[in-house]
Amino acid sequence: MLKHKKIVLFCVAVVLVLFTLTFFTAVHWTIFLLLFLVWLGLTAWGSFDIRLNYFTKAYSSKPNSTTKEIALTFDDGPHEMTEKVLDLLKKFNVKATFFCIGKQIENNPELFKRIISDGHLIGNHSYSHSENFGFFSSQKVVDEITKTNKLVEQLSGIKMNFFRPPFGVTNPMISKAVSETKHLVVGWNIRSLDTVYEDENTIFERVKNKIKPGGIILLHDTSQKSVNVLERLLLFLKSENYSIVAVDELLNLSAYEN
Ligand SMILES: [Zn+2]
């Protein structure tokens, strides 16, 4: 059973117990309010931290790994910066995973094709990457996933199995949608926050301190800053004797449908 169902059952049980108690003694209404706030807090936390597997099973790392291998993932492209990312990856002879937005693929089809011809792995990152994605109905999420999958199949013949929700948000609608489209949800356990922090050093140090075997690093191929961090990261991982692998190899899962 997923965590959010356990929490809901637990809260319902506590409410029933409290309700029964009201027949025998006075239960202050703030107790109910407090319980509601705890549930709300856990729900919000569960929605935004994909590592928790709160609403849906997500693959966010290779657990308990002792092998020095790690996966680099890039979200939100293809973007004009993708070219520089691809050049760097080629220079270091490294294979990465790109979670692409459907709309961006339409805008940059040649870059998209280069990601594949350079030997990298691709995954679905929705069609619109809407800021309201967390409030979409399950049907709308299914439409977003299907549209991007079809687009990619037309351009490359690839049928993608991996889906990474925008902002890493999960909820019951997204959970229902991925079970319908049969996509595997891929998260991360090393978040660079390269779209939040301005300073390159801060981003690099943040990632460096979190590196461990079996990890999945989240970066974005959308800024020069991220490209600079990537170069430092590649040098660091090399000096630490890490091998960089695509997500399917790390997790031993099929990224594409045959
Ligand atoms: Zn994104």
Side-chain angles (χ1 to χ4, degrees), residues 75-76 99 101 125 129 164-168 218 220:
D75 284 12
D76 297 1
F99 286 92
I101 299 173
H125 194 41
H129 204 281
R164 176 175 278 172
F167 318 106
L218 166 63
H220 293 81

Side-chain angles (χ1 to χ4, degrees), residues 190-243:
I190 304 168
R191 188 174 207 167
S192 62
L193 293 180
D194 58 344
T195 55
V196 177
Y197 291 120
E198 283 305 320
D199 181 44
E200 225 177 275
N201 289 321
T202 312
I203 302 166
F204 173 68
E205 291 298 328
R206 186 186 150 87
V207 175
K208 197 180 105 176
N209 293 335
K210 287 172 184 277
I211 280 172
K212 62 174 184 181
I216 300 180
I217 301 173
L218 166 63
L219 289 158
H220 293 81
D221 47 334
T222 54
S223 73
Q224 182 62 49
K225 185 176 60 183
S226 299
V227 174
N228 299 345
V229 170
L230 174 64
E231 182 156 32
R232 292 173 67 181
L233 202 55
L234 287 167
L235 285 167
F236 176 75
L237 289 168
K238 200 174 166 184
S239 72
E240 293 286 309
N241 293 317
Y242 263 90
S243 58

Side-chain angles (χ1 to χ4, degrees), residues 29-177:
W29 63 271
T30 50
I31 303 279
F32 288 96
L33 180 68
L34 191 71
L35 188 68
F36 174 72
L37 290 176
V38 166
W39 170 79
L40 203 66
L42 285 171
T43 303
W45 186 18
S47 300
F48 287 103
D49 195 337
I50 200 162
R51 293 169 303 175
L52 294 176
N53 293 314
Y54 193 76
F55 288 107
T56 188
K57 165 82 191 135
Y59 298 90
S60 301
S61 67
K62 181 180 184 176
N64 312 317
S65 176
T66 48
T67 316
K68 276 192 156 186
E69 55 180 6
I70 205 156
L72 283 174
T73 65
F74 297 91
D75 284 12
D76 297 1
H79 179 275
E80 55 184 298
M81 280 297 154
T82 308
E83 193 153 25
K84 291 187 177 178
V85 169
L86 290 171
D87 289 344
L88 261 180
L89 294 173
K90 188 172 261 178
K91 188 176 147 194
F92 282 81
N93 193 24
V94 159
K95 296 288 180 261
T97 307
F98 291 79
F99 286 92
C100 301
I101 299 173
K103 220 158 56 176
Q104 289 297 110
I105 297 172
E106 283 177 347
N107 293 337
N108 305 288
E110 293 312 314
L111 276 174
F112 174 72
K113 286 177 188 162
R114 192 186 151 193
I115 296 175
I116 295 167
S117 63
D118 277 12
H120 303 291
L121 197 75
I122 48 162
N124 191 324
H125 194 41
S126 85
Y127 177 77
S128 67
H129 204 281
S130 165
E131 281 179 9
N132 301 318
F133 200 85
F135 302 100
F136 279 7
S137 67
S138 66
Q139 186 52 52
K140 213 166 170 190
V141 176
V142 167
D143 292 347
E144 287 260 339
I145 297 175
T146 311
K147 196 169 176 182
T148 299
N149 252 54
K150 276 188 184 151
L151 182 64
V152 165
E153 199 182 341
Q154 277 165 11
L155 282 171
S156 65
I158 292 170
K159 293 180 189 174
M160 299 179 289
N161 282 340
F162 291 169
F163 173 66
R164 176 175 278 172
F167 318 106
V169 67
T170 54
N171 60 38
M173 287 81 82
I174 294 172
S175 174
K176 189 169 173 235

